[in-house]
Amino acid sequence: MQLYNTNPIKIYNSLTGTKETFKPITEGYIGMYVCGPTVYSNVHLGNVRTFMSFDMIFRYLKHLGYKVRYVRNITDAGHLENDADEGEDKITKKARLEQIEPMEVVQRYTVDFHNILSIFNFLPPSIEPTATGHIIEQIELIETIIKNGFAYEVNGSVYFDVHKYNETKDYGVLSKRKLEDLIHNTRELDGQSDKKNPQDFALWKKAEPQHIMRWPSPWSDGFPGWHLECTAMSTKYLGEQFDIHGGGMDLKFPHHECEIAQNEAAKGKSPVNYWMHANMLELNGQRMSKSTGNTVNPDELLSGNNDFFSKAYAPSVIRFFIAQSSYRSVLDLTDDGLLASEKGFYRLMDAVNNLKKLKASEISSIDINAWQQKCYDAMNDDFNSPILIAHLFESVKYINQVKEGTETLSSKDLALFANSINAFVFDVLGLQNESKTEAGSDKLSGAVELLIKLRQQARANKDFALSDQIRDELAEVGIQLKDSREGTTFSTN
């Protein structure tokens, strides 16, 4: 369906701070890169919100007929905690704590990431490159930046020269920060003596003897800087300049700022035309934080096994809740909010299912073309899913009116109406059709399957007490687990 010629899209560009009419570099084709997870722990619910926003954007662009190459990376190379220049990397730290290989950590949490996204009905990206699979490209990029005079090597590590870069470019163009302010606010840290200036960031770090994840390079056995991988992988698969770069608001500085600087230093051009940033997810009005205990992970939200919510919620209910807020707005996750979204979701599903039962008339009393255009106008206005959902509830009213006989639709308009609703509800928003009755059994199955997965993880970690507890407590409520070579199944009494 080739709609993009007649439906201009406006995107809020973080680079300019304004909504701009979207014009792809190549007509009909879009290149989009989104920063993926660092796979050292279970995927954070806030990250799921970010990835879900860009999944919806990916879906809509495909619906419009664009050929989209969507690249979302996996950070599987160990980087230092908080992107510092000294300390212990996240993946190696996890491997040391669990006494396993770093790549076992990577595999475990990459699988978890894919499982969670599959539960929420994400489309897979076109390409999902890994940082460890692109070490050569990162080394070549560093060599180019050194050759162009914007990086220097000290004791086996390579740093980007921010001050030299800022002589001719603008370090801070995305985050609207001034280098002078960064200099003033920078505190001296131990281990920064190798740098010319505290604001310089690592392109390559020489590995300490105890550092497990390391690769040979012209400067030392070491590992690449965190910012470098996204520059290397995005430009490899999307070109030196591409259309859209997305990620969470927390990545704007320093990560995305450094990406721009690296590409300018290496290629002499800014890499991205439209920078898009999804906002943060809060829990009960406060920032999610492991240190304060104000956090819930996707498994806990789906299973109901948490201290914050009154019940388990279906994946599509959670997805619907997230879509009811603009991707650029801070979203507060609350039990009341999810309960309200659950009611709205099942009301919409009931209407979609009733749509199949409507009978056509000779004439239409409802202007379906006008309604359809309002839906497109909403999504074309910076992917405004809350307004789209408002128009979908307008369609619920139409369905009920036609069902009751107070309004009519011709066969042509009824077909257009059905196709449009299905496209926006399922193809664009990515919801899955289920009635409230069906959801009960689906939720039970989903919750038990989740507990089976947690039990398998417990057994893999040799936590047999937890494994037995899950089996025994399920048995107490009439759910029997059966282990076999093919896996674990369950039955209800």
Side-chain angles (χ1 to χ4, degrees), residues 7 13 15 17 64 108 126 133 140 150 158 216 253 271 284 338 355 368 444 464:
N7 288 260
N13 191 348
L15 189 64
L64 291 184
R108 175 183 299 173
S126 313
E140 290 174 345
F150 293 106
V158 181
F253 185 89
N284 293 324
L338 281 170
L355 181 61
I368 295 302
L444 174 63
F464 299 113

Side-chain angles (χ1 to χ4, degrees), residues 49 85 160 275 290 300 381 398 417 431 465:
R49 190 258 174 123
D85 288 315
F160 189 94
W275 285 91
K290 288 183 180 179
E300 293 167 339
D381 183 17
Y398 294 156
F417 193 37
L431 303 176

Side-chain angles (χ1 to χ4, degrees), residues 281-295:
L281 181 69
E282 293 182 343
L283 179 59
N284 293 324
Q286 297 181 340
R287 183 174 181 176
M288 284 199 192
S289 170
K290 288 183 180 179
S291 61
T292 64
N294 191 59
T295 186

Side-chain angles (χ1 to χ4, degrees), residues 261-300:
Q262 288 166 165
N263 210 77
E264 287 273 14
K267 314 291 185 181
K269 58 185 74 171
S270 183
V272 181
N273 286 347
Y274 304 88
W275 285 91
M276 300 181 67
H277 291 94
N279 218 321
M280 310 303 290
L281 181 69
E282 293 182 343
L283 179 59
N284 293 324
Q286 297 181 340
R287 183 174 181 176
M288 284 199 192
S289 170
K290 288 183 180 179
S291 61
T292 64
N294 191 59
T295 186
V296 61
N297 67 35
D299 283 347
E300 293 167 339

